[in-house]
C-alpha cells in the first residue's frame, strides 16, 4: 500500500521483534493513513504483556506513563529534533466486555491480532499495519468501508454494542468527525439497544458528546444522535424540541431552528487569534441547548399566537441539571448556562437603542462571555424576512461599535464603584455585613449609569441613597 509510515513506528517494531513479540499499528492511525489525514498519537497492540514490553517502551521514549496499566495499556512520548513530539500507546491483545449491569468494562487478554481486531468498534478501525514489515491486515473489509464512508461493526452489531455500549456513542461521533453514515444493519441494532447506554459512566458519555460537538460535521452528528434514539437517554431535552406544529405553523420548528443556530454559531467562530477560536465547546453547547426551555413554556395565546415566556431562564435551569448529570466541569456549566440565560438580552436594543449607561452595563455584566454571547445572539436570528434580518444585524453591529468606543475610554471589564467598601463603611458608620454589600452594589449601579464621578459627587450620592433607604 502506498503510504509513508512514521519512522518511530518502524523502530519500535524492530525492538519488539528482537524480543520475540508482535507489534502492529491499529485503529485511528491506520485509518488516518488511508485517509491521508495527519495523526500524531500512535496506537499499537502487541502479543506482549505490559510487564514484558515496559522495558522496551521506557528505553524508546523520553517520557513514560502507565495510567492504563490495569487495561493492559502503557504509553510513552518521544521528542523529535524539529521540536514536535510523537506519543504512543501500546496495549496487549485484548477484549472488552460489560456485565449486564456494570458501568466498567472487564478486560481479558487475547492471543492474536485478528482476534483483537474482531473486538474493535467499527471495521474502519479494525485495520492494522504490522511493524516493522508493514503487512496490512484487514480481515473485515475496513478499507472498502472507508472508501464508501460507511460505519459497520466487525461482528454482529448487537453483539458489538452489547459488549461495549459506548460504541453507540462512538458511532454518532464518527458521523460528526468523519462525515460517514451508519450502515443500515448497524443503525437498526443501535436503535434497538439505546437503553444499554445507561450502564456507561456519565464521564465517558460526556467525552463522546464533547468530541461530537467539536467535530467538523457537528450538525450531522447531532442529527444521528437524535434519529438513533440515543439522545432520549443522553440528552433528552434535545428530541423534546421536536414540538408538534399545528396546521397554521404558528411557531418555528424548534428542533430545526436549533440545528440552524448550531451551524450559524460554528460559522461565527474565529481564527486562533480571535475572541472565540474554533472549535469552541462552550458556544456550541450553548447554541444546542439555548431553546430547551421552550417545550415547558409554550403557551397558545388569544389570536392564535404562541409564546415561550421565560424560556431563557427555564432553559438555563434545565441545562444546568443535565450538564451536572453528565459531569461537566462546574465553571464550564456556569458559562454555558449564563449564555443560555442571557441569549435574549440584546433583543430590546433592536426596538429602542440603549443609552451609553445601558450599553456599559451590558458589556460589564456579560464580561468575558461577551464575544460568545454576541455570536450566539447573531446565530439565533434565523428569520427569513430579509428586512428584519438586516435591521437586526445592523443593530448588533452598532452595539458592538459602541462597546468598542466605550472600551477605548475605559476598561469596562474592570469597572468598580467610585467608593470602595472601606470608604463606604467610614461614611455610613457601618461594620462589615450585608448592608455594606447593598451599598456597594448601589454605587456600582450608579457608576454604570453615570460613568466616573469625582469623590465629592460619589459621597453625596451614597449619603442620599442611605437617607432615602433609612426612611423606608
Amino acid at each position: 500500500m502506498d503510504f509513508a509510515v512514521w519512522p518511530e513506528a518502524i523502530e519500535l517494531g524492530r525492538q519488539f521483534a528482537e524480543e520475540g513479540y508482535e507489534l502492529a499499528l491499529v485503529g485511528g492511525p491506520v485509518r488516518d493513513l488511508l485517509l491521508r489525514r495527519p495523526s500524531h498519537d500512535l496506537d499499537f497492540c502487541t502479543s506482549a504483556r505490559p510487564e514484558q514490553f515496559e522495558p522496551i517502551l521506557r528505553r524508546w521514549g523520553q517520557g513514560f506513563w502507565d495510567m492504563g496499566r490495569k487495561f493492559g495499556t502503557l504509553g510513552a512520548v518521544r521528542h523529535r529534533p524539529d521540536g514536535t513530539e510523537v506519543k504512543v500507546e501500546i496495549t496487549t491483545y485484548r477484549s472488552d466486555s460489560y456485565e449486564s449491569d456494570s458501568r466498567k468494562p472487564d478486560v481479558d487478554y487475547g492471543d492474536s491480532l485478528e482476534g483483537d481486531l474482531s473486538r474493535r468498534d467499527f471495521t474502519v478501525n479494525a485495520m492494522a499495519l504490522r511493524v516493522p514489515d508493514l503487512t496490512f491486515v484487514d480481515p473485515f473489509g475496513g478499507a472498502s468501508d472507508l472508501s464508501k464512508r460507511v460505519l459497520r461493526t466487525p461482528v454482529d452489531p448487537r453483539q458489538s454494542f452489547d459488549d461495549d455500549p459506548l460504541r453507540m456513542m462512538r458511532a454518532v461521533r464518527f458521523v460528526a468527525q468523519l462525515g460517514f453514515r451508519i450502515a443500515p444493519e448497524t443503525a437498526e441494532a443501535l436503535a434497538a439497544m439505546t437503553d444499554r447506554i445507561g450502564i456507561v459512566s456519565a464521564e465517558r458519555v460526556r467525552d463522546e458528546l464533547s468530541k461530537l460537538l467539536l467535530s467538523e460535521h457537528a450538525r450531522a452528528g447531532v442529527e444521528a444522535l437524535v434519529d438513533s434514539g440515543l439522545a432520549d437517554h443522553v440528552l433528552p431535552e434535545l428530541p423534546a424540541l421536536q414540538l408538534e406544529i399545528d396546521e397554521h405553523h404558528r411557531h418555528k420548528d424548534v428542533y430545526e431552528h436549533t440545528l440552524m443556530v448550531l451551524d450559524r454559531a460554528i460559522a461565527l467562530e474565529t481564527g486562533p487569534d480571535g475572541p472565540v477560536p474554533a472549535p469552541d465547546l462552550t458556544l456550541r453547547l450553548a447554541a444546542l441547548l439555548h431553546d430547551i426551555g421552550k417545550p415547558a413554556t409554550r403557551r397558545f395565546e388569544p389570536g392564535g399566537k404562541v409564546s415561550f415566556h421565560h424560556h431563557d431562564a427555564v432553559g438555563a435551569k434545565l441545562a444546568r441539571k443535565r450538564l451536572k448529570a453528565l459531569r461537566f466541569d462546574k465553571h464550564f456549566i456556569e458559562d454555558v448556562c449564563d449564555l443560555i440565560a442571557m441569549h435574549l438580552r440584546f433583543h430590546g436594543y433592536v426596538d429602542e437603542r440603549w443609552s451609553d449607561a445601558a450599553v456599559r452595563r451590558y458589556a460589564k455584566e456579560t464580561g468575558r462571555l461577551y464575544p460568545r454571547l454576541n455570536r450566539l445572539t447573531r446565530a439565533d436570528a434565523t428569520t427569513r424576512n430579509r428586512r428584519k434580518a438586516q435591521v437586526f444585524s445592523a443593530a448588533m453591529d452598532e452595539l458592538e461599535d459602541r462597546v468598542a468606543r466605550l472600551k477605548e475610554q475605559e476598561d469596562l471589564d474592570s469597572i468598580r464603584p467610585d467608593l470602595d467598601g472601606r470608604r463606604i463603611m467610614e461614611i455610613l458608620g457601618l461594620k462589615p455585613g450585608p448592608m455594606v454589600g447593598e451599598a456597594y452594589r448601589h454605587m456600582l449601579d450608579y457608576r454604570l449609569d453615570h460613568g466616573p464621578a469625582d469623590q465629592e459627587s460619589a459621597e453625596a450620592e451614597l449619603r442620599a441613597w442611605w437617607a432615602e433607604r433609612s426612611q423606608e
Side-chain angles (χ1 to χ4, degrees):
M1 305 199 72
D2 179 25
F3 42 56
V5 179
W6 299 268
E8 294 88 355
I10 303 294
E11 180 184 348
L12 265 176
R14 290 197 182 104
Q15 293 183 20
F16 271 68
E18 288 171 0
E19 299 289 338
Y21 305 128
E22 298 176 2
L23 185 69
L25 269 170
V26 291
V30 179
R31 182 194 69 227
D32 290 342
L33 273 175
L34 296 178
L35 290 173
R36 300 297 194 270
R37 286 161 49 110
S39 185
H40 303 292
D41 298 342
L42 307 182
D43 295 325
F44 297 85
C45 63
T46 179
S47 59
R49 299 296 175 92
E51 64 272 13
Q52 294 174 318
F53 69 81
E54 179 176 344
I56 302 174
L57 202 51
R58 285 186 179 275
R59 288 196 304 269
W60 175 87
Q62 284 109 23
F64 173 85
W65 62 90
D66 64 351
M67 289 82 76
R69 184 182 294 273
K70 65 179 180 179
F71 301 112
T73 302
L74 303 178
V77 62
R78 173 180 281 192
H79 304 286
R80 293 169 171 152
D82 63 1
T84 62
E85 62 180 30
V86 58
K87 294 179 181 178
V88 306
E89 285 196 345
I90 303 177
T91 303
T92 302
Y93 295 153
R94 68 182 187 179
S95 63
D96 291 351
S97 63
Y98 283 74
E99 295 298 331
S100 60
D101 59 351
S102 172
R103 286 182 174 269
K104 296 182 179 180
D106 295 324
V107 179
D108 297 317
Y109 291 134
D111 55 11
S112 72
L113 174 59
E114 288 74 11
D116 184 278
L117 295 178
S118 74
R119 301 178 182 101
R120 303 257 159 183
D121 51 6
F122 304 106
T123 60
V124 296
N125 292 328
M127 300 177 287
L129 190 66
R130 293 184 183 275
V131 286
D133 61 335
L134 301 184
T135 301
F136 182 62
V137 182
D138 183 18
F140 304 104
S144 175
D145 286 343
L146 196 64
S147 67
K148 298 173 185 174
R149 305 178 71 80
V150 66
L151 291 170
R152 185 170 56 85
T153 55
V155 296
D156 182 280
R158 289 178 178 269
Q159 176 189 333
S160 181
F161 295 147
D162 192 58
D163 284 346
D164 184 355
L166 189 67
R167 289 171 179 167
M168 295 185 288
M169 282 296 297
R170 287 172 63 83
V172 296
R173 190 248 290 181
F174 282 127
V175 169
Q177 213 167 48
L178 301 173
F180 285 15
R181 62 181 176 85
I182 303 174
E185 67 278 8
T186 303
E188 183 179 346
L190 194 163
M193 300 178 68
T194 53
D195 60 336
R196 186 92 168 114
I197 198 67
I199 73 163
V200 180
S201 71
E203 290 84 357
R204 299 184 78 201
V205 171
R206 173 203 64 204
D207 290 346
E208 290 297 328
L209 178 63
S210 298
K211 291 175 183 177
L212 183 158
L213 288 174
L214 291 171
S215 298
E216 182 179 356
H217 310 282
R219 174 174 178 159
V222 170
E223 290 175 319
L225 186 73
V226 172
D227 293 345
S228 67
L230 269 175
D232 293 333
H233 303 274
V234 173
L235 204 60
E237 295 80 7
L238 202 55
L241 294 176
Q242 296 174 313
L243 299 175
E244 182 179 349
I245 305 296
D246 64 277
E247 67 274 15
H248 301 295
H249 295 278
R250 288 179 288 190
H251 64 80
K252 299 176 185 177
D253 180 285
V254 183
Y255 174 65
E256 289 298 325
H257 165 75
T258 294
L259 295 176
M260 189 182 302
V261 172
L262 176 63
D263 274 342
R264 288 164 59 90
I266 291 172
L268 289 170
E269 292 172 342
T270 60
D273 298 325
V276 187
D280 188 82
L281 185 60
T282 304
L283 176 61
R284 295 186 182 198
L285 198 49
L288 189 67
L289 302 180
H290 79 286
D291 272 350
I292 61 172
K294 281 190 170 181
T297 59
R298 181 170 66 160
R299 299 291 183 270
F300 293 97
E301 307 288 354
K305 292 187 177 181
V306 178
S307 68
F308 302 96
H309 295 309
H310 308 300
H311 77 269
D312 45 352
V314 173
K317 184 176 180 180
L318 292 172
R320 181 171 285 103
K321 182 178 180 181
R322 178 58 53 196
L323 297 180
K324 281 183 178 179
L326 287 169
R327 303 290 194 273
F328 277 96
D329 173 77
K330 177 182 177 181
H331 298 295
F332 176 82
I333 292 174
E334 290 304 315
D335 284 351
V336 172
C337 294
D338 283 349
L339 287 172
I340 295 171
M342 295 188 295
H343 81 271
L344 298 180
R345 284 281 298 273
F346 169 76
H347 286 254
Y349 188 93
V350 179
D351 300 322
E352 183 179 351
R353 297 302 192 261
W354 297 340
S355 64
D356 279 355
V359 173
R360 193 182 292 113
R361 184 182 299 278
Y362 177 82
K364 169 67 175 176
E365 292 180 354
T366 57
R368 59 188 176 79
L369 292 177
Y370 170 81
R372 289 190 178 104
L373 180 59
N374 284 5
R375 281 161 175 77
L376 177 59
T377 303
R378 286 183 184 274
D380 192 31
T382 60
T383 178
R384 295 180 181 177
N385 184 309
R386 181 173 297 181
R387 187 190 67 80
K388 285 185 177 180
Q390 290 174 341
V391 168
F392 188 92
S393 179
M396 179 61 83
D397 290 343
E398 180 184 288
L399 174 69
E400 290 180 339
D401 287 343
R402 291 179 66 187
V403 170
R405 288 197 299 271
L406 286 170
K407 284 189 173 183
E408 288 178 359
Q409 300 170 20
E410 57 181 325
D411 183 358
L412 299 181
D413 295 333
S414 61
I415 286 179
R416 298 290 183 272
D418 299 294
L419 303 174
D420 61 21
R422 181 189 58 79
R423 184 60 182 145
I424 288 172
M425 287 189 289
E426 288 177 357
I427 295 172
L428 301 182
L430 296 175
K431 294 181 179 180
M435 288 305 306
V436 179
E438 189 176 335
Y440 184 91
R441 287 189 292 275
H442 171 76
M443 294 307 298
L444 177 59
D445 288 340
Y446 180 79
R447 170 72 174 78
L448 289 168
D449 289 340
H450 300 280
D454 58 48
Q455 196 77 2
E456 183 179 350
S457 298
E459 291 180 5
E461 171 60 28
L462 177 63
R463 289 190 174 96
W465 170 80
W466 182 250
E468 182 178 343
R469 191 188 183 289
S470 299
Q471 293 172 3
E472 293 178 356

